[in-house]
């Protein structure tokens, strides 16, 4: 499969020239060298794509669910055939080590497609409740705005349920991970998605994202990104009263109860925090430990952090790659310096570049101990491999600290007494609560409380986001 022409957009079933275009250099974050130039569009390109999606909606919305399942199966088969090129593209565009690009990044595409196919095979688009027929119908034309940190995961958990529901759509992927999105667009084309059902316009937030949010021809916006950007999306969408589903920032707490296997729990917590070089909104970036065990936790965490191998992203032995770009690098390093200045105890890592790497936006896995809830690094989402360890004095104190965030995307609790861990989980504020580092569940609803957003993705919950509910009262009366 050839790489896409980065100067074109996918609109109405064809790769087309933008109405207008601005060049955007694509930089490999591991080498700081350019590997291509992307064309960025504007509101005129969005309008063209929306018109195509609106024209395609009447016919596609009436297709049978079985037809849409067959389409998803073709998409899945083509993705699996092209799996390696997706992994290699993600490695280059966002600096994911090739091992993680395969097992952690690209693998999310088939995982979510398989989950949605299973949901579709049992989902009732119509059902009777007494004499009322409940009918679930596609919401319409959807504007999908995705981030760079989990490129395939995020476009699949938006595009696949939108297709499954019978919606048409316009996608704006992040300009930092647009190549993998364009590869997926080609998969959709080759799988036989009808013209106009799926459209892709590359651009930045102010130029294309804002145009999608405000467009009167779009019925729903699904956005994943920062809380700051989510506020602007909601403002732009408000005048047209469209549905807005958002998955935003997070600052997830990880409570280690005193009965847990401490060595294992701390090490796994460090590994979870460093997943994807810390560039994940739901990872456990605040570790809460009994006050008497702070020094023990700090020592274990520092040893675990020292075990990560940072290096070239093409090397299968590399554990952690760089963060995605210079702006992100400077922000993460700046917050590490803020942690030091505010009095947190640095026990591993720090703001300096790794000694053996003179190029690339690499950040050393960094551990802070003796962090207090008022410190910036305990409140702000850092989006880098940085863990803050906080002390608590009682179970109630731990829960209060964990819930004392403006976010509510995820939370974690570890304890040998499972009933106690479950009881703590019930009290934690978060859209997903992970008990004792469970395996991933792609059917579990994903989304947040508070400033972590609204709506849910993954599995059946993700499908429901793209449906309206119609009650036909008296339908069952003779």
């Amino acid at each position: 499969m050839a790489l896409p022409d980065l100067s074109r957009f996918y609109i109405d079933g064809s790769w087309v020239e933008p109405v207008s275009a601005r060049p955007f250099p694509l930089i490999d974050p591991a080498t700081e060298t350019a590997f291509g130039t992307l064309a960025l569009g504007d509101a005129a390109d969005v309008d063209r794509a929306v018109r195509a999606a609106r024209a395609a909606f009447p016919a596609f919305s009436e297709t049978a669910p079985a037809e849409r399942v067959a389409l998803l199966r073709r998409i899945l088969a083509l993705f699996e055939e092209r799996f390696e090129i997706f992994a290699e593209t993600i490695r280059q565009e966002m600096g994911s080590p090739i091992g993680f690009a395969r097992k952690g990044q690209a693998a999310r595409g088939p995982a979510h497609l398989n989950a949605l196919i299973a949901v579709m095979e049992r989902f009732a688009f119509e059902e009777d409740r007494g004499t009322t027929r409940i009918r679930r119908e596609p919401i319409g034309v959807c504007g999908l705005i995705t981030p760079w940190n989990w490129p395939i995961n995020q476009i699949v958990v938006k595009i696949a349920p939108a297709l499954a529901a019978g919606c048409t759509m316009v996608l704006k992927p992040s300009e930092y991970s647009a190549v993998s999105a364009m590869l997926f667009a080609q998969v959709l084309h080759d799988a036989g998605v009808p013209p106009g059902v799926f459209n892709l316009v590359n651009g930045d937030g102010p130029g294309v994202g804002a145009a999608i949010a405000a467009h009167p021809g779009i019925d729903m916006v699904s956005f994943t990104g920062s809380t700051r950007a989510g506020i602007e999306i909601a403002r732009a969408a408000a005048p047209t009263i469209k549905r807005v589903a958002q998955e935003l920032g997070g600052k997830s707490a990880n409570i280690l109860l005193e009965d847990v296997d401490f060595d294992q729990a701390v090490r796994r917590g460090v590994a979870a925090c460093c997943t994807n070089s810390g560039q994940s909104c739901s990872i456990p970036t605040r570790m809460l430990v009994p006050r008497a065990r702070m020094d023990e936790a700090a020592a274990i965490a520092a040893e675990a952090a020292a075990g990560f191998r940072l290096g070239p992203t093409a090397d299968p032995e590399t554990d952690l790659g760089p963060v995605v770009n210079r702006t992100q690098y400077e922000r993460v390093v700046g917050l590490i310096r803020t942690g030091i200045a505010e009095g947190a105890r640095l026990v591993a890592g720090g703001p300096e570049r790794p000694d053996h790497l003179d190029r690339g936006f690499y950040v050393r896995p960094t551990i802070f101990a003796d962090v207090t809830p008022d410190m910036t690094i305990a409140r702000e989402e850092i989006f880098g491999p940085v863990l803050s360890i906080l002390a608590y004095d009682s179970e109630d104190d731990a829960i209060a600290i964990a819930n004392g965030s403006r976010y509510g995307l995820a939370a974690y609790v570890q304890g040998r007494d499972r009933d106690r861990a479950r009881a703590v989980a019930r009290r934690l504020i978060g859209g997903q609560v992970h008990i004792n580092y469970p395996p991933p569940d792609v059917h579990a609803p994903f989304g947040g409380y508070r400033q972590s957003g609204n709506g849910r993705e993954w599995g059946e919950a993700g499908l429901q986001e793209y449906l309206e509910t119609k009650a036909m009262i008296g339908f069952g009366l003779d």
Side-chain angles (χ1 to χ4, degrees):
M1 179 183 179
L3 288 173
D5 182 344
L6 302 180
S7 69
R8 293 176 178 262
F9 302 156
Y10 186 80
I11 298 176
D12 205 16
S14 300
W15 291 100
V16 300
E17 295 287 343
V19 175
S20 61
R22 288 187 293 115
F24 180 81
L26 298 176
I27 307 297
D28 182 333
T31 64
E32 302 182 47
T33 58
F35 64 89
T37 301
L38 187 71
L40 302 185
D42 61 16
D45 298 292
V46 171
D47 189 62
R48 183 181 178 189
V50 172
R51 282 187 277 112
R54 292 224 69 86
F57 179 72
F60 190 67
S61 65
E62 291 299 322
T63 55
E67 292 179 62
R68 302 198 293 270
V69 170
L71 178 60
L72 292 173
R73 290 189 184 280
R74 295 196 298 272
I75 293 167
L76 172 62
L78 286 172
F79 188 98
E80 288 177 332
E81 284 180 16
R82 302 169 187 181
F83 183 90
E84 190 60 28
I85 193 169
F86 277 102
E88 174 58 28
T89 298
I90 293 168
R91 180 200 69 77
Q92 185 173 54
E93 68 184 357
M94 66 161 296
S96 180
I98 189 60
F100 187 74
R102 291 181 181 124
K103 296 178 182 177
Q105 290 276 5
R108 290 293 187 96
H112 285 295
L113 285 164
N114 277 309
L116 188 58
I117 289 167
V119 167
M120 285 289 287
E121 289 175 340
R122 57 177 168 76
F123 188 80
F125 283 90
E126 293 195 21
E127 61 178 318
D128 291 327
R129 297 185 184 176
T131 60
T132 296
R133 170 66 58 91
I134 306 297
R135 176 175 162 86
R136 296 174 180 86
E137 301 178 338
I139 193 169
V141 176
C142 302
L144 312 177
I145 304 173
T146 59
W148 47 261
N149 61 322
W150 288 90
I152 285 300
N153 179 85
Q154 287 305 130
I155 65 173
V156 170
V157 299
K158 296 185 192 299
I159 292 171
L163 289 173
C167 296
T168 60
M169 67 211 73
V170 178
L171 170 70
K172 186 207 90 66
S174 168
E175 59 271 36
Y176 294 103
S177 58
V179 184
S180 55
M182 295 173 79
L183 289 172
F184 195 75
Q186 190 62 50
V187 165
L188 297 177
H189 178 88
D190 294 346
V193 172
V197 170
F198 169 82
N199 306 274
L200 180 150
V201 177
N202 284 315
D204 57 18
V208 171
I212 286 175
H215 201 292
I218 287 179
D219 302 293
M220 170 187 174
V221 174
S222 178
F223 170 75
T224 300
S226 70
T227 298
R228 175 192 55 78
I231 292 168
E232 297 307 314
I233 292 288
R235 283 176 175 158
T240 51
I241 319 295
K242 56 172 60 74
R243 182 182 296 177
V244 179
Q246 299 185 322
E247 191 266 287
L248 307 175
K251 192 68 179 177
S252 302
N254 183 13
I255 298 176
L256 274 57
L257 298 173
E258 56 268 17
D259 67 342
V260 77
D261 180 332
F262 219 65
D263 185 78
Q264 180 189 67
V266 171
R267 291 180 187 279
R268 293 186 69 178
V270 172
C273 178
C274 291
T275 299
N276 203 31
S277 295
Q279 299 171 119
S280 301
C281 48
S282 63
I283 56 176
T285 53
R286 292 184 294 151
M287 181 179 289
L288 277 58
V289 303
R291 189 172 301 279
R293 305 189 74 173
M294 172 61 74
D295 289 344
E296 179 187 359
I300 296 168
E303 184 179 300
F308 288 102
R309 178 176 175 180
L310 283 71
T313 56
D315 185 347
E317 299 301 315
T318 294
D319 297 315
L320 293 184
V323 295
V324 72
N325 55 39
R326 184 174 299 280
T327 299
Q328 184 67 13
Y329 172 80
E330 291 174 352
R331 182 178 187 279
V332 173
V333 168
L335 283 165
I336 292 172
R337 291 195 173 106
T338 297
I340 295 169
E342 291 183 357
R345 177 161 56 104
L346 181 69
V347 297
E352 299 82 10
R353 186 188 296 270
D355 293 338
H356 65 293
L357 296 167
D358 59 0
R359 294 182 66 82
F361 306 123
Y362 288 89
V363 178
R364 293 189 293 165
T366 297
I367 311 294
F368 283 104
D370 298 324
V371 177
T372 57
D374 61 311
M375 290 180 179
T376 302
I377 58 172
R379 293 183 290 106
E380 296 297 323
E381 184 176 39
I382 297 173
F383 235 56
V386 182
L387 176 66
S388 297
I389 308 179
L390 296 86
Y392 68 84
D393 296 308
S394 67
E395 183 178 298
D396 287 345
D397 185 38
I399 292 168
I401 294 170
N403 290 342
S405 168
R406 70 179 187 271
Y407 297 113
L409 185 56
Y412 298 71
V413 57
Q414 323 303 326
R416 197 181 303 273
D417 182 338
R418 293 193 65 83
D419 287 338
R420 183 183 178 195
R422 291 174 183 134
V424 170
R426 289 188 177 94
R427 298 175 64 190
L428 293 172
I429 296 173
Q432 284 193 343
V433 181
H434 305 254
I435 302 172
N436 289 338
Y437 302 119
D441 180 0
V442 292
H443 284 277
F446 182 80
Y449 293 19
R450 295 177 170 171
Q451 292 188 28
S452 288
N454 49 65
R456 294 295 183 268
E457 294 182 320
W458 300 16
E460 183 173 329
L463 176 62
Q464 293 274 17
E465 288 292 331
Y466 296 89
L467 296 169
E468 289 281 24
T469 301
K470 175 186 287 182
M472 293 184 284
I473 302 166
F475 188 95
L477 292 173
D478 292 333

